[in-house]
């Protein structure tokens, strides 16, 4: 019970309330806010190890998961996080509902909004979709992935994982490898890890590197040998299978040969380097099972665990910004 | 009423793109034509039955000729009808509009050309001319009935937003149209590089996670088009040139004597790629907005005459097509009502002369497609605009006349209020006092 109280104090004692009503982008964070979120998430990790994991921070609040793209781990991670904070949760998978009958994203959101949820967690295949929703609804919006652009809670949980594994993020050399072009995980991590003082490298075939990425403050490498040299962390990205087969890379086996992570390529990294992956993994395509499953080097299971704590931190921080007055205000449409 | 009564415009700032005159002037309109133009503020010995309009120093110029206007008629009337577009044009000082053929059904046969003329006659506001489809259904496969459409009055041929990927088809279109004395407008964009793109490739689009097309996709297709224009002797209109690289190609081709003219959209003269920040779908355009260096090159090209014509690229899209995530939103913006004030900002802020700017939206497009318009001379049709070029205004998309409100200029402050628009001697728009 003391620990739980400690957390409530952490939430309450912040010198500045979390300044944003929505959580849309890691690039929009500043360092004090990011550090505060991580400190809070750290406390939630401890809470999540207790038999009684339940708090009342979000009691009476409703969180809706609105996932236009399928997801198992992110959706359940948000759901568990919200339930541990005492919120009621509803999962929506619009693929099976009226969205297929021509209803637009905004129609769906405005309809949901009328049911007065407090927090809307949205994943959508188009970049900027969460920002668009945030302009149109009166509740708080959390971006759980929009197109190629951002997946900010993933970056937060990755930073939390690194902080717990290395004791710091500052000064770490992180190599993000694979399909950077189509990766929201990469974009959020570039923003957040750089904000926290890490050195970020991007490694991958030229066809999967965004134009202008060299202006993001990162170094770009097309070979694992140079990209991984001396790296403390190797963060592998998922390669969508439809991107292979001649579209962006010639074949699965050629991709694995040059950019798939195995023990041999990992040896280029610093001694004791750790491996991460946002999941779900394509084993044998971007990562070899021997590396992914080795508890000495893989942080992948830890990332999943940290996911719940990081999302609890986001939810708890936003809770302070939720409306506390009865409202009859119609959403701007 | 106003049609038969002679009208005198007194104390105007006369801008005549034909003679290059920009100074004090007055004009008399009788029976739908300009009867007299003088280069002094007053006209002596006006007879009593003439209606006098004191312009108070406002600009009197030929009405605008807009070569690139889309409506939703036929096929998508909730977007915009010929009537609502005509009213928007009149409010913007635009006295002639050329309708793009990518309607549903497409304007790809003489009956459709006739349909547009007939609707315009019923509406009776501004001059409406159809551009005919270059290929059937604008599909880029088989040549449309260019001869018959030309005879019915189509002013040029184009597949509008669509590029004709097949070089053999495009060669034949250029060559065949030339036999009927018609120009062909074509959008230069390599279709393969452009697939799925909604932004211009670069650091900004990369960071925003938007599918993008490299700027050189324009130059690649333009070089092909120029080469085909050269071997066919056909007349090419480059539909909305936007990039520095393509402007260089255009310059070289013109120096070689290729029969080519280029249009620029007012949007690409006014905005750059950063305007799509915050995923603002009103700034989602086709072609996508470019880098600032491209915009500056385009302005320089307009000032030097390399780019002859400015168009509104009026492309109405209703809220349901714009209130979507950026990549899913319909491209395009409405522009008939903002064309003139937006153009004037290139004078106020860019220092380009009024004559040069006005020519690009009057005489130059008229000559390009063979219309008698854009002149301030006795005998010329009385298609005129009177505009207080210094008057400040803030564009409020909701107040536009167009049925669709997707103006990229929404919220922008511009200068230039259209006081009066006259078509064939008839006042079709007058600003409220």
């Amino acid at each position: 019970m003391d620990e739980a109280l400690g957390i409530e104090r952490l939430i309450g004692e912040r010198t500045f309330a979390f300044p944003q009503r929505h959580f849309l982008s890691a690039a929009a964070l500043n360092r004090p806010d990011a550090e505060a979120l991580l400190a809070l998430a750290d406390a939630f990790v401890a809470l999540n190890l207790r038999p009684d994991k339940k708090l009342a921070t979000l009691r009476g609040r409703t969180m809706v998961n609105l996932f236009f793209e399928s997801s198992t781990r992110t959706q359940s991670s948000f759901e568990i996080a919200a339930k541990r904070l005492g919120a009621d949760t509803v999962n929506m998978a619009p693929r099976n509902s009226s969205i297929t009958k021509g209803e637009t994203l905004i129609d769906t959101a405005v309809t949901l909004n009328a049911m007065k949820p407090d927090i809307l967690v949205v994943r959508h295949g188009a970049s900027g979709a969460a920002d668009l929703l945030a302009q149109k609804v009166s509740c708080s919006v959390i971006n759980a992935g929009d197109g190629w652009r951002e997946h900010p809670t993933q970056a937060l949980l990755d930073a939390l994982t690194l902080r717990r594994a290395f004791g710091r993020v500052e000064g770490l050399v992180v190599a993000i490898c694979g399909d950077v072009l189509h990766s929201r995980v990469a974009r959020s991590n570039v923003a957040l890890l750089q904000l926290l003082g890490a050195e970020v490298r991007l490694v991958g075939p030229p066809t999967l590197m965004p134009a202008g990425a060299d202006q993001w403050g990162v170094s770009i490498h097309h070979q694992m040998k140079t990209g991984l040299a001396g790296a403390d962390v190797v963060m592998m990205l998922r390669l969508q299978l439809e991107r292979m087969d001649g579209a962006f890379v010639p074949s699965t086996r050629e991709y694995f040969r040059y950019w798939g992570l195995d023990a041999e390529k990992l040896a280029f990294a610093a001694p004791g380097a750790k491996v991460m992956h946002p999941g779900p993994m394509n084993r044998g395509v971007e990562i070899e099972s021997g590396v992914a499953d080795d508890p000495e080097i893989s942080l992948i299971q830890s990332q999943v665990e940290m996911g719940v704590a990081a999302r609890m931190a986001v939810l708890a921080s936003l809770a302070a910004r939720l409306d506390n007055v009865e409202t009859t205000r119609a959403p701007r449409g | 009423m106003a049609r038969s009564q002679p009208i005198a415009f007194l104390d105007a700032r006369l801008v005549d793109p034909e003679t290059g005159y920009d100074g004090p002037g007055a004009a008399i309109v009788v029976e739908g034509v300009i009867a007299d133009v003088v280069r002094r503020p007053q006209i002596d010995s006006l007879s009593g039955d003439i209606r006098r309009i004191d312009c108070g120093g406002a600009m009197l110029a030929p009405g605008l000729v807009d070569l690139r206007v889309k409506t939703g008629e036929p096929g998508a009337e909730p977007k915009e009808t010929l009537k609502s577009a005509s009213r928007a044009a009149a409010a913007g000082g635009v006295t002639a509009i050329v309708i793009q053929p990518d309607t549903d059904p497409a304007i790809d046969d003489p009956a459709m050309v006739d349909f547009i003329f007939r609707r315009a006659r019923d509406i009776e506001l501004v001059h409406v001319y159809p551009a005919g489809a270059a290929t059937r259904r604008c599909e880029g496969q088989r040549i449309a009935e260019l001869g018959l459409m030309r005879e019915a009055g189509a002013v040029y041929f184009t597949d509008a937003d669509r590029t004709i990927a097949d070089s053999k088809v495009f060669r034949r279109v250029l060559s065949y149209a030339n036999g009927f004395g018609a120009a062909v407008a074509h959008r230069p964009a390599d279709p393969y590089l452009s697939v799925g793109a909604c932004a211009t490739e670069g650091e900004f689009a990369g960071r925003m996670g938007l599918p993008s097309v490299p700027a050189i996709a324009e130059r690649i297709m333009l070089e092909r088009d120029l080469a085909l224009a050269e071997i066919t002797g056909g007349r090419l209109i480059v539909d909305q040139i936007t990039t520095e690289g393509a402007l260089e190609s255009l310059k070289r081709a013109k120096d070689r004597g290729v029969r080519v003219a280029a249009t620029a959209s007012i949007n690409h003269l006014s905005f750059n790629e950063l305007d799509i920040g915050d995923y603002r779908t009103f700034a989602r355009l086709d072609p996508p907005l470019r880098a600032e260096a491209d915009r500056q090159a385009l302005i320089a090209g307009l000032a030097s005459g390399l780019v002859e014509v400015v168009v509104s690229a009026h492309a109405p899209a209703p809220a349901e097509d714009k209130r979507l995530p950026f990549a899913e939103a319909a491209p395009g913006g409405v522009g008939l009502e903002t064309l003139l004030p937006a153009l004037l900002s290139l004078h106020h802020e860019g220092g380009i002369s009024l004559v040069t700017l006005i020519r690009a939206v009057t005489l130059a497009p008229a000559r390009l497609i063979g219309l008698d318009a854009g002149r301030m001379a006795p005998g010329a049709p009385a298609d005129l605009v009177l505009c207080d070029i210094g008057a400040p205004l803030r564009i409020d998309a909701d107040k536009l006349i167009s049925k669709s409100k997707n103006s990229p200029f929404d919220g922008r402050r511009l200068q230039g209020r259209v006081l009066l628009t006259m078509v064939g001697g008839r006042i079709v728009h007058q600003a409220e006092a």
Side-chain angles (χ1 to χ4, degrees), chain A residues 264-303:
Chain A
E264 199 183 323
K265 295 199 193 78
L266 187 58
F268 300 135
K274 301 288 188 191
V275 172
M276 302 174 84
H277 193 295
M281 285 180 278
N282 290 312
R283 290 169 185 270
V285 177
E286 72 255 0
I287 192 163
E288 193 181 67
S289 286
V291 173
D293 298 336
D294 184 343
E296 292 296 308
I297 52 177
S298 170
L299 295 174
I300 296 170
Q301 284 310 310
S302 170
Q303 285 175 277

Side-chain angles (χ1 to χ4, degrees), chain A residues 253-274:
Chain A
R253 67 175 187 178
E254 179 159 333
Y255 185 80
F256 185 77
R257 166 77 181 271
Y258 296 108
W259 296 284
L261 188 67
D262 53 16
E264 199 183 323
K265 295 199 193 78
L266 187 58
F268 300 135
K274 301 288 188 191

Side-chain angles (χ1 to χ4, degrees), chain B residues 27-379:
Chain B
I28 299 179
V29 171
V30 180
E31 294 295 332
V33 294
I34 297 173
D36 197 13
V37 179
V38 297
R39 291 185 177 182
R40 53 182 189 278
Q42 300 298 328
I43 296 173
D44 309 326
S45 65
L46 283 177
S47 66
D49 65 335
I50 290 185
R51 179 177 166 195
R52 292 166 169 78
I53 294 178
D54 180 6
C55 303
M59 177 185 77
L60 182 67
L64 276 55
V65 177
D66 190 346
L67 289 190
R68 199 182 207 287
V69 174
K70 294 222 239 185
T71 77
E73 186 173 348
E77 285 79 1
K79 280 186 193 177
E80 186 92 290
T81 58
L82 287 166
K83 184 167 190 175
S84 63
S86 297
R87 289 179 56 220
V94 179
T95 54
I97 58 178
V98 178
I99 301 299
Q100 296 301 288
D102 57 342
T103 46
D104 181 20
I107 305 174
D108 64 354
D109 68 19
M112 286 301 299
V113 171
D114 201 54
F115 167 80
I116 301 292
F117 278 124
R118 200 170 64 242
R119 290 285 296 126
R121 265 198 308 277
D122 295 344
I123 296 161
E124 213 188 353
L125 271 174
V126 300
H127 302 292
V128 178
Y129 303 96
T135 65
R136 290 190 214 175
R137 291 200 291 245
C138 299
E139 286 175 346
Q141 310 279 331
R142 292 174 300 158
I143 304 177
E145 292 173 325
L146 306 188
L148 292 174
M149 282 194 284
R150 182 69 170 163
E151 205 180 313
V155 289
Y156 67 89
F157 296 104
T158 179
D159 278 357
D161 300 345
R162 303 209 202 155
T163 49
I164 298 174
D166 189 327
S167 303
K168 188 186 279 177
V169 172
F170 190 60
R171 176 192 180 172
R172 288 175 181 163
V173 166
L174 269 172
S175 165
Y176 191 83
N178 193 36
F180 292 93
V184 177
H186 190 242
R187 161 72 57 79
D190 182 292
Y192 302 103
L193 284 170
S194 308
V195 169
C198 62
T200 301
E201 188 174 288
E203 191 272 336
F204 191 65
R207 201 149 35 88
M208 290 184 80
L210 293 174
S212 57
V213 55
I216 49 116
E218 180 168 288
R219 182 156 64 91
I220 289 172
M221 186 54 86
L222 180 59
E223 287 284 357
R224 182 204 75 167
D225 292 354
L226 292 168
L228 290 176
E230 195 163 10
I231 63 159
T232 57
R235 257 189 331 130
L236 176 68
I237 300 174
V238 184
D239 178 29
Q240 300 180 67
I241 198 165
T242 59
T243 62
E244 197 173 4
L247 286 162
E248 287 165 14
S249 299
L250 177 69
K251 173 89 170 54
R252 279 196 300 274
K254 283 194 161 187
D255 290 347
R256 264 203 325 274
V258 178
R259 299 171 75 203
V260 57
T263 71
S265 97
I266 188 64
N267 298 323
H268 293 87
L269 288 163
S270 308
F271 304 102
N272 66 27
E273 59 184 348
L274 300 182
D275 286 296
I276 66 172
D278 296 330
Y279 301 96
R280 197 166 162 264
T281 58
F282 279 11
R284 173 153 190 216
L285 303 172
D286 178 22
L289 289 171
R290 308 298 193 185
E292 177 61 10
D294 291 314
R295 188 178 82 94
Q296 291 300 336
L298 196 58
I299 292 172
L302 177 63
S304 73
L306 176 63
V307 173
E308 294 100 323
V309 174
V310 175
V311 296
S312 73
H314 186 82
E320 61 266 29
D321 292 344
K322 280 291 187 184
R323 282 171 47 187
L324 291 170
F326 192 84
E328 296 173 7
V334 292
L336 281 166
E337 291 162 79
T338 45
L339 175 58
L340 183 54
L343 193 67
L344 288 171
S345 68
L346 296 174
H347 170 68
H348 295 305
E349 292 155 27
I352 304 181
S353 79
L354 268 185
V355 169
T356 301
L357 292 173
I358 294 299
R359 183 182 291 130
V361 288
T362 56
L363 188 65
R367 281 197 173 149
L368 193 58
I369 61 170
L371 298 181
D372 184 15
R375 298 184 300 127
M376 292 292 295

Side-chain angles (χ1 to χ4, degrees), chain B residues 9 12 53 55 58-60 384-388 417-420:
Chain B
F9 292 93
I53 294 178
C55 303
M59 177 185 77
L60 182 67
L384 299 170
V385 58
L386 183 65
C387 176
D388 179 353
R417 186 157 180 258
V418 174
L419 302 175
L420 180 148

